[in-house]
Amino acid sequence: MSKKGDRYVRMLLTHGARSVLRAAKVADGAGKDICGIRRWALDVQGRSNHNKATCALANKLARICFATLRDHAPFDEATRLTKKQNRQSFVMPT
């Protein structure tokens, strides 16, 4: 994530990402099944450090938020992997 945009929204995404990483690590330690974005985040954390994984997950969460707003559809992890949506192109006003 860059330092562009609203600082407050960036901070909320980062705190959310930290929470997801912590919960995933606790669940992994307890032997529970972890899949999807949580597994991806733990894999990133294993390859790098905690702060980089937090930033990467916050970036992914921001992209998911944008896609749900753009497509007017809730995020479904299982459907996302099996189906590509037909999207309209949006032209930015000048």
Side-chain angles (χ1 to χ4, degrees):
M1 290 188 45
S2 67
K3 292 187 178 180
K4 293 182 179 179
D6 189 1
R7 288 176 25 175
Y8 185 69
V9 173
R10 198 168 56 244
M11 185 252 327
L12 290 175
L13 287 168
T14 303
H15 283 311
R18 285 184 200 279
S19 176
V20 169
L21 270 173
R22 185 179 183 291
K25 192 167 187 174
V26 168
D28 192 35
K32 294 183 180 178
D33 187 35
I34 299 171
C35 59
I37 294 175
R38 292 173 191 89
R39 172 56 47 205
W40 176 85
L42 285 177
D43 291 343
V44 171
Q45 188 176 11
R47 291 190 306 266
S48 63
N49 63 38
H50 179 74
N51 288 333
K52 286 184 182 178
T54 299
C55 188
L57 182 56
N59 189 358
K60 186 176 276 287
L61 292 174
R63 291 172 187 273
I64 289 170
C65 290
F66 175 76
T68 58
L69 291 172
R70 177 194 62 208
D71 298 337
H72 302 289
F75 177 71
D76 183 22
E77 200 163 9
T79 306
R80 177 187 67 87
L81 297 173
T82 59
K83 181 177 116 179
K84 185 174 181 177
Q85 292 183 346
N86 293 327
R87 297 187 185 109
Q88 293 179 337
S89 295
F90 293 101
V91 178
M92 296 299 290
T94 56

